[in-house]
Amino acid sequence: PLVDEVEKRNRLKVLLTWLEQRFAEGNQEPALHNALAKIYIDTNKDPERFLTTNPFYDSLVVGKYCEKRDPTLAYVAYRRGLCDYELVEVTNRNGLFKQQARYLVERQSAELFAHCLADDNTYRRQVIDQIVQTALPECKDAKQVAGTVKAFMVADLPNELIELLEKIVLHGTQFKAIKDLQNLLVLTAIKADKTRVMDYVNKLD
């Protein structure tokens, strides 16, 4: 209640010392940690480190607080709390497609992939571009690569799947020697773009 009353008056900063003392004593009350997060965000006191390492604040509350102040920090809070649709919304609204793509690959949620790769998603092309150009090339986890390939197959995106597989198989990621991915590239090309098939076969030889 004290924190709420002070926040209503826009005077949270006056509580900083008291809040930090409670934190040091081991207080795990989310409201206390939410208040600390808000102060660190407003004073730019290494807020990203706090949002990444503190396990006690409420990701939804703090993420919402960040949205108009710094959408990148909203992304950090939502990512930490696995607030999938809030994260997608804030990254769409602010053009943070690289972050959204990394989250999708890392999160490996079939439902979230389906949502972001759906026909009616205005931002689908931007998300796909960042998955292909950034998130997958950075990925070191074979399960995440397989899950992302599967999501593109489920979404029935053969041309985009070819882009994805080309990046993995032909452009030197650690997964380029995986036969299943090589075969899938050729088979997808047979269905979607026969003109590429011989080129792939020659390159894979």
Side-chain angles (χ1 to χ4, degrees), residues 68-199:
K68 287 181 180 167
R69 290 166 173 82
D70 186 339
T72 307
L73 291 178
Y75 163 78
V76 172
Y78 288 147
R79 176 175 176 261
R80 171 264 199 191
L82 304 180
C83 307
D84 294 340
Y85 295 99
E86 290 80 7
L87 183 146
V88 167
E89 193 179 320
V90 78
T91 49
N92 281 345
R93 204 165 54 240
N94 294 280
L96 301 173
F97 299 111
K98 193 177 287 188
Q99 288 91 328
Q100 185 181 139
R102 286 175 176 142
Y103 183 77
L104 285 168
V105 170
E106 184 183 287
R107 180 82 169 98
Q108 288 297 304
S109 159
E111 293 80 13
L112 194 61
F113 261 129
H115 174 78
C116 295
L117 297 177
D119 265 343
D120 59 358
N121 177 15
T122 312
Y123 305 102
R124 179 171 78 166
R125 185 68 247 180
Q126 292 96 315
V127 176
I128 288 170
D129 285 346
Q130 289 304 325
I131 291 173
V132 172
Q133 292 164 19
T134 304
L136 247 284
E138 290 175 352
C139 184
K140 304 285 185 253
D141 185 319
K143 284 184 181 172
Q144 290 179 356
V145 171
T148 305
V149 168
K150 183 181 176 185
F152 274 60
M153 292 170 74
V154 169
D156 193 23
L157 296 168
N159 292 309
E160 291 80 0
L161 180 59
I162 286 174
E163 285 178 57
L164 189 71
L165 290 167
E166 275 189 358
K167 199 79 175 173
I168 300 169
V169 172
L170 299 180
H171 298 294
T173 72
Q174 69 188 77
F175 306 108
K176 65 180 180 179
I178 296 175
K179 287 289 180 198
D180 285 351
L181 294 177
Q182 294 178 357
N183 293 340
L184 184 58
L185 176 59
V186 174
L187 290 170
T188 307
I190 288 168
K191 289 179 190 171
D193 187 354
K194 289 186 174 64
T195 61
R196 302 191 193 195
V197 174
M198 282 315 297
D199 184 42

Side-chain angles (χ1 to χ4, degrees), residues 24-37:
E25 289 164 5
N27 188 313
Q28 297 181 7
E29 190 67 38
L32 181 142
H33 294 270
N34 293 347
L36 275 174

